[in-house]
Amino acid sequence: LSGCDSGFGQATARHLDIMGFRVFASVLDLQSPGAQELRQSCSSRLTLLQMDLTKTEDIQRVLQHIQAHTNSTGLWGLVNNAGFNDTIADAELSPLGKFRTCMEVNFFGSLELTKGLLPLLRSAGGRIVTVSSPAGDMPFPCLAAYGASKAALSLVMDTFRSELQPWGIKVSLILPGYYKTGTTCDPAFWNLHKQQLLASLPQELLQAYGEDYVEEINQQFIQFMKVAVEDLSAVVNSITEGLLAANPAVRYYPGQGLGIMYFIHRYLPYFVRDLFLKGFFINPKLPRALRREHHKDVKK
């Protein structure tokens, strides 16, 4: 189970431990508050492992540990939960490095871990449950780097689902709504990254969009996350069902409002979907270079 420092990973690790399972929980930092909390609240069956999904040596070390401790029993389930995003900005304003980091953690890291554990999962005829995002299915404004990595993740897991059927492995995707997890609801975290983004932008781009444009989308995002759900149990229950149900669903959609969102996405024209996503999530103001007052200033 990856990404157990906070959020869904931490809550799921605790839940599976209470149910009596032997859990290998990976965390970015063994001294993090979330890791300490798991140590205190869980049984001795739970093993905490340090892993940064961008580091092959970390992944290999975790794979070796799990192989050594499950050779006799096999491995029943893998939960790919770790995820990363620290940028709220238009795709044009998001540095290429941010796209790469999202891909490294959310796609390549999960892919490497999955491929490494597949021999153990195949011998047990086990399960793979992966936490993706509706942002991987729809073009949420200002989430291109994160959304693109989750789209790749969803697709590769769907491919595994079809290819691993002969081995008896069942693969499920979890596409949660809006929940309070980790740093997602910490305004200080987003303000810091917004300042770093503004400092890194080329002058021409900053002129075209305007600093107030970037400020505004970040403010809207922070406002939006204030209504995020604190109770993570719907997601934990979906992950648990993916691991344990005789016939788990291919996709789980825990959270409010996803039904209407997917209905609009599938059956209504694109412009309706785009309007809905802007109204529901972030509706950026006009970039500075397109505003009337800017044109007046230029004419003067």
Side-chain angles (χ1 to χ4, degrees):
L1 176 56
S2 67
C4 297
D5 297 81
S6 62
F8 305 141
Q10 191 196 24
T12 304
R14 196 183 297 115
H15 181 67
L16 292 172
D17 180 71
I18 288 166
M19 290 179 78
F21 291 99
R22 174 144 200 223
V23 179
F24 297 95
S26 88
V27 291
L28 200 52
D29 176 7
L30 287 169
Q31 302 313 315
S32 69
Q36 304 276 27
E37 207 177 302
L38 283 176
R39 247 186 227 107
Q40 285 155 14
S41 64
C42 293
S43 73
S44 57
R45 284 187 306 273
L46 182 120
T47 306
L48 279 175
L49 300 166
Q50 190 279 326
M51 178 172 68
D52 179 341
L53 277 173
T54 65
K55 295 181 177 157
T56 289
E57 60 272 24
D58 279 19
I59 296 174
Q60 291 306 317
R61 182 171 32 76
V62 164
L63 290 175
Q64 281 162 8
H65 181 94
I66 293 174
Q67 279 158 359
H69 289 83
T70 58
N71 259 343
S72 54
T73 57
L75 181 69
W76 175 252
L78 161 63
V79 180
N80 289 305
N81 165 70
F84 171 84
N85 181 44
D86 68 357
T87 307
I88 304 298
D90 294 48
E92 187 178 11
L93 298 175
S94 305
L96 212 51
K98 297 295 186 187
F99 281 85
R100 286 206 170 96
T101 308
C102 280
M103 274 291 180
E104 283 299 330
V105 179
N106 302 338
F107 177 71
F108 286 110
S110 298
L111 176 61
E112 189 174 344
L113 186 64
T114 302
K115 281 170 71 70
L117 290 173
L118 267 175
L120 290 169
L121 290 162
R122 280 192 287 106
S123 67
R127 303 289 170 87
I128 300 169
V129 178
T130 300
V131 179
S132 189
S133 169
D137 286 332
M138 294 171 238
F140 276 74
C142 306
L143 279 185
Y146 177 73
S149 67
K150 289 295 195 177
L153 179 67
S154 293
L155 188 104
V156 82
M157 288 301 157
D158 222 15
T159 308
F160 274 134
R161 182 186 55 76
S162 140
E163 292 174 351
L164 294 171
Q165 265 173 344
W167 296 95
I169 292 180
K170 291 184 163 69
V171 181
S172 299
L173 274 177
I174 315 284
L175 298 118
Y178 311 94
Y179 289 89
K180 283 189 165 66
T181 61
T183 50
T184 54
C185 298
D186 177 7
F189 174 85
W190 295 109
N191 283 324
L192 170 69
H193 285 282
K194 175 195 68 191
Q195 295 304 341
Q196 289 173 349
L197 175 70
L198 285 169
S200 73
L201 282 179
Q203 202 51 38
E204 189 275 323
L205 267 185
L206 200 53
Q207 286 296 318
Y209 281 86
E211 193 168 321
D212 59 334
Y213 179 92
V214 178
E215 294 277 357
E216 167 79 6
I217 54 182
N218 272 272
Q219 278 312 114
Q220 284 193 34
F221 177 73
I222 287 167
Q223 278 302 116
F224 174 78
M225 289 317 289
K226 282 181 181 168
V227 301
V229 178
E230 285 190 46
D231 178 7
L232 307 182
S233 59
V235 180
V236 173
N237 291 341
S238 295
I239 293 171
T240 307
E241 191 178 314
L243 287 171
L244 300 179
N247 289 299
V250 171
R251 287 180 158 221
Y252 290 92
Y253 300 94
Q256 295 291 307
L258 294 181
I260 181 81
M261 194 184 294
Y262 274 92
F263 175 82
I264 290 170
H265 174 60
R266 286 195 184 123
Y267 300 110
L268 299 186
Y270 282 126
F271 80 90
V272 178
R273 180 198 63 187
D274 294 350
L275 278 174
F276 176 80
L277 288 174
K278 282 178 179 169
F280 172 75
F281 184 55
I282 292 174
N283 191 4
K285 61 201 277 180
L286 264 184
R288 187 172 164 213
L290 299 176
R291 289 177 220 153
R292 250 207 211 111
E293 65 267 25
H294 177 73
H295 288 296
K296 282 181 193 156
D297 290 346
V298 171
K299 277 176 189 162
K300 278 180 200 165

XYZ file of all heavy atoms in Angstrom, residues 212-258:
366
model
N -2.117 38.795 -11.242
C -3.443 38.684 -10.597
C -4.222 37.484 -11.118
O -5.063 36.911 -10.414
C -4.250 39.967 -10.784
C -4.474 40.319 -12.258
O -3.648 39.906 -13.102
O -5.459 41.009 -12.563
N -3.924 37.060 -12.361
C -4.578 35.887 -12.943
C -4.197 34.631 -12.148
O -5.051 33.810 -11.776
C -4.149 35.751 -14.410
C -4.732 34.541 -15.134
C -5.924 34.636 -15.834
C -4.061 33.311 -15.127
C -6.444 33.537 -16.508
C -4.581 32.212 -15.795
C -5.777 32.336 -16.482
O -6.291 31.236 -17.137
N -2.887 34.493 -11.888
C -2.388 33.329 -11.140
C -2.902 33.368 -9.700
O -3.300 32.341 -9.135
C -0.837 33.275 -11.180
C -0.314 32.090 -10.367
C -0.347 33.178 -12.622
N -2.914 34.568 -9.097
C -3.444 34.738 -7.730
C -4.898 34.269 -7.664
O -5.293 33.540 -6.762
C -3.394 36.228 -7.318
C -1.996 36.808 -7.176
C -1.366 36.512 -5.818
O -2.037 35.908 -4.970
O -0.195 36.881 -5.631
N -5.672 34.691 -8.661
C -7.111 34.414 -8.676
C -7.409 32.913 -8.767
O -8.239 32.385 -8.021
C -7.740 35.176 -9.853
C -9.158 34.764 -10.218
C -10.228 35.344 -9.309
O -9.889 36.174 -8.447
O -11.400 34.943 -9.469
N -6.706 32.195 -9.679
C -7.002 30.758 -9.808
C -6.605 30.013 -8.532
O -7.283 29.073 -8.115
C -6.355 30.106 -11.064
C -4.864 30.336 -11.134
C -7.047 30.544 -12.333
C -4.186 29.756 -12.375
N -5.523 30.454 -7.884
C -5.125 29.804 -6.638
C -6.124 30.089 -5.519
O -6.430 29.209 -4.725
C -3.709 30.223 -6.236
C -2.662 29.324 -6.873
O -2.293 28.296 -6.334
N -2.219 29.679 -8.078
N -6.644 31.314 -5.469
C -7.665 31.651 -4.461
C -8.920 30.809 -4.674
O -9.506 30.296 -3.725
C -8.024 33.146 -4.528
C -7.054 34.046 -3.786
C -6.746 33.520 -2.363
O -5.611 33.120 -2.068
N -7.748 33.471 -1.509
N -9.318 30.680 -5.946
C -10.513 29.868 -6.249
C -10.303 28.414 -5.835
O -11.212 27.768 -5.307
C -10.841 29.947 -7.745
C -11.495 31.241 -8.161
C -12.082 31.141 -9.569
O -12.560 30.089 -10.001
N -12.048 32.244 -10.293
N -9.098 27.891 -6.081
C -8.806 26.503 -5.714
C -8.866 26.319 -4.194
O -9.457 25.355 -3.692
C -7.433 26.079 -6.237
C -7.047 24.674 -5.826
C -7.653 23.580 -6.413
C -6.112 24.459 -4.823
C -7.322 22.284 -6.024
C -5.778 23.171 -4.436
C -6.380 22.082 -5.033
N -8.282 27.261 -3.453
C -8.286 27.176 -1.984
C -9.731 27.244 -1.467
O -10.106 26.496 -0.559
C -7.390 28.278 -1.377
C -5.907 27.926 -1.616
C -7.655 28.441 0.125
C -4.924 29.048 -1.355
N -10.548 28.101 -2.083
C -11.973 28.187 -1.705
C -12.675 26.867 -1.988
O -13.437 26.358 -1.169
C -12.679 29.301 -2.506
C -12.483 30.682 -1.956
C -12.974 30.805 -0.510
O -12.182 31.061 0.414
N -14.252 30.593 -0.297
N -12.393 26.292 -3.175
C -13.022 25.030 -3.572
C -12.672 23.922 -2.571
O -13.531 23.139 -2.171
C -12.553 24.639 -4.979
C -13.039 23.283 -5.417
C -14.336 23.118 -5.864
C -12.206 22.176 -5.355
C -14.790 21.852 -6.251
C -12.655 20.917 -5.739
C -13.957 20.768 -6.194
N -11.398 23.853 -2.150
C -10.974 22.776 -1.260
C -11.550 22.917 0.149
O -11.519 21.972 0.921
C -9.446 22.697 -1.195
C -8.794 22.174 -2.477
S -9.602 20.755 -3.260
C -9.239 19.432 -2.116
N -12.107 24.087 0.464
C -12.747 24.250 1.784
C -13.990 23.368 1.913
O -14.401 23.035 3.017
C -13.121 25.718 2.012
C -11.925 26.573 2.412
C -12.319 28.008 2.666
C -11.082 28.821 3.049
N -11.357 30.269 3.028
N -14.595 23.010 0.778
C -15.793 22.154 0.843
C -15.439 20.673 0.670
O -16.313 19.821 0.588
C -16.864 22.565 -0.203
C -17.297 23.996 0.008
C -16.350 22.369 -1.633
N -14.134 20.359 0.613
C -13.717 18.954 0.470
C -14.190 18.151 1.684
O -14.261 18.662 2.802
C -12.201 18.875 0.330
N -14.496 16.888 1.442
C -15.062 16.011 2.480
C -13.950 15.509 3.414
O -12.894 15.072 2.944
C -15.793 14.822 1.816
C -16.363 13.865 2.851
C -16.890 15.337 0.894
N -14.217 15.577 4.718
C -13.212 15.122 5.691
C -13.289 13.621 5.954
O -12.289 12.987 6.262
C -13.385 15.890 7.007
C -12.873 17.316 6.908
C -12.804 18.012 8.256
O -12.300 17.376 9.212
O -13.255 19.154 8.341
N -14.494 13.064 5.846
C -14.687 11.635 6.129
C -14.227 10.804 4.924
O -14.850 10.831 3.865
C -16.176 11.389 6.418
C -16.473 9.921 6.685
O -15.518 9.123 6.777
O -17.669 9.572 6.803
N -13.120 10.074 5.111
C -12.524 9.330 3.987
C -13.100 7.919 3.839
O -12.639 7.152 2.990
C -10.999 9.226 4.190
C -10.237 10.540 4.443
C -8.733 10.261 4.563
C -10.503 11.568 3.362
N -14.104 7.576 4.645
C -14.542 6.168 4.714
C -15.082 5.636 3.384
O -14.904 4.455 3.077
C -15.574 5.974 5.825
O -16.698 6.797 5.601
N -15.722 6.483 2.574
C -16.258 5.991 1.287
C -15.118 5.502 0.390
O -15.249 4.489 -0.313
C -17.049 7.093 0.583
N -13.986 6.206 0.417
C -12.834 5.810 -0.410
C -12.199 4.544 0.165
O -11.884 3.603 -0.563
C -11.792 6.953 -0.501
C -10.601 6.528 -1.358
C -12.432 8.211 -1.072
N -12.024 4.523 1.491
C -11.441 3.349 2.159
C -12.291 2.112 1.871
O -11.769 1.040 1.565
C -11.321 3.587 3.686
C -10.886 2.317 4.402
C -10.333 4.724 3.960
N -13.616 2.271 1.920
C -14.521 1.140 1.656
C -14.421 0.666 0.204
O -14.476 -0.531 -0.068
C -15.974 1.521 1.976
C -16.186 1.698 3.474
O -15.392 1.216 4.287
N -17.229 2.425 3.857
N -14.263 1.610 -0.729
C -14.116 1.231 -2.147
C -12.824 0.447 -2.355
O -12.801 -0.560 -3.074
C -14.105 2.478 -3.038
O -15.347 3.125 -2.988
N -11.726 0.926 -1.750
C -10.437 0.226 -1.870
C -10.557 -1.180 -1.285
O -10.124 -2.168 -1.895
C -9.313 1.016 -1.157
C -9.053 2.344 -1.879
C -8.024 0.178 -1.087
C -8.115 3.298 -1.138
N -11.192 -1.273 -0.114
C -11.354 -2.567 0.570
C -12.191 -3.515 -0.283
O -11.864 -4.704 -0.419
C -12.010 -2.368 1.952
O -11.261 -1.390 2.670
C -12.039 -3.655 2.758
N -13.256 -2.989 -0.889
C -14.098 -3.839 -1.739
C -13.320 -4.314 -2.962
O -13.418 -5.465 -3.381
C -15.354 -3.070 -2.176
C -16.368 -3.998 -2.820
C -17.651 -3.282 -3.221
O -18.182 -2.496 -2.403
O -18.107 -3.515 -4.356
N -12.507 -3.420 -3.534
C -11.662 -3.804 -4.673
C -10.725 -4.943 -4.322
O -10.427 -5.805 -5.154
N -10.273 -4.955 -3.066
C -9.352 -6.017 -2.621
C -10.066 -7.322 -2.276
O -9.504 -8.400 -2.451
C -8.582 -5.547 -1.375
C -7.475 -4.500 -1.564
C -6.988 -4.005 -0.212
C -6.312 -5.074 -2.365
N -11.303 -7.218 -1.772
C -11.922 -8.399 -1.145
C -13.173 -8.940 -1.831
O -13.518 -10.105 -1.624
C -12.267 -8.087 0.320
C -11.082 -7.700 1.220
C -11.555 -7.407 2.625
C -10.026 -8.792 1.228
N -13.878 -8.126 -2.625
C -15.127 -8.605 -3.228
C -14.843 -9.741 -4.208
O -13.805 -9.762 -4.867
C -15.842 -7.460 -3.945
N -15.779 -10.687 -4.287
C -15.608 -11.802 -5.226
C -15.512 -11.267 -6.656
O -14.699 -11.727 -7.447
C -16.784 -12.770 -5.096
N -16.361 -10.285 -6.969
C -16.309 -9.647 -8.286
C -16.247 -8.132 -8.118
O -17.274 -7.455 -8.175
C -17.540 -10.028 -9.124
C -17.471 -11.475 -9.558
O -16.554 -11.879 -10.267
N -18.431 -12.271 -9.089
N -15.045 -7.611 -7.906
C -14.943 -6.168 -7.683
C -15.293 -5.378 -8.942
O -15.160 -5.893 -10.058
C -13.466 -5.969 -7.321
C -12.758 -7.129 -7.940
C -13.728 -8.276 -7.914
N -15.764 -4.155 -8.761
C -16.072 -3.294 -9.907
C -14.771 -2.912 -10.612
O -13.701 -2.907 -10.005
C -16.810 -2.040 -9.434
N -14.892 -2.601 -11.902
C -13.738 -2.134 -12.664
C -13.378 -0.718 -12.199
O -12.218 -0.356 -12.089
C -14.061 -2.155 -14.184
C -12.966 -1.460 -14.988
C -14.238 -3.597 -14.644
N -14.416 0.091 -11.915
C -14.211 1.474 -11.454
C -15.124 1.776 -10.275
O -16.297 1.405 -10.289
C -14.521 2.458 -12.581
C -13.461 2.479 -13.675
C -13.828 3.494 -14.768
N -12.625 3.884 -15.502
C -12.341 5.109 -15.900
N -13.179 6.094 -15.632
N -11.228 5.375 -16.553
N -14.585 2.453 -9.301
C -15.370 2.938 -8.154
C -15.331 4.461 -8.163
O -14.285 5.054 -8.444
C -14.765 2.433 -6.837
C -14.923 0.945 -6.617
C -13.932 0.056 -7.035
C -16.055 0.427 -5.988
C -14.060 -1.317 -6.838
C -16.198 -0.947 -5.785
C -15.200 -1.806 -6.213
O -15.327 -3.159 -6.013
N -16.478 5.076 -7.839
C -16.566 6.538 -7.842
C -17.029 7.071 -6.482
O -18.139 7.590 -6.371
C -17.551 7.009 -8.913
C -17.188 6.605 -10.320
C -17.702 5.439 -10.900
C -16.345 7.398 -11.096
C -17.378 5.075 -12.200
C -16.020 7.031 -12.403
C -16.534 5.872 -12.944
O -16.212 5.509 -14.228
N -16.199 6.928 -5.434
C -16.645 7.438 -4.140
C -16.623 8.974 -4.120
O -15.646 9.585 -4.551
C -15.616 6.871 -3.161
C -14.400 6.609 -3.987
C -14.864 6.319 -5.373
N -17.693 9.571 -3.651
C -17.704 11.033 -3.544
C -18.942 11.652 -4.153
O -19.623 11.040 -4.972
N -19.213 12.887 -3.762
C -20.402 13.615 -4.206
C -20.210 14.191 -5.605
O -19.120 14.607 -5.973
C -20.663 14.792 -3.244
C -21.027 14.371 -1.829
C -22.392 13.709 -1.763
O -23.378 14.262 -2.226
N -22.452 12.522 -1.192
N -21.294 14.231 -6.360
C -21.296 14.999 -7.616
C -20.645 14.333 -8.811
O -20.657 14.886 -9.909
N -20.065 13.142 -8.622
C -19.343 12.526 -9.749
C -20.302 11.958 -10.792
O -20.000 11.961 -11.985
C -18.406 11.429 -9.245
C -17.231 11.903 -8.377
C -16.371 10.722 -7.975
C -16.383 12.923 -9.103
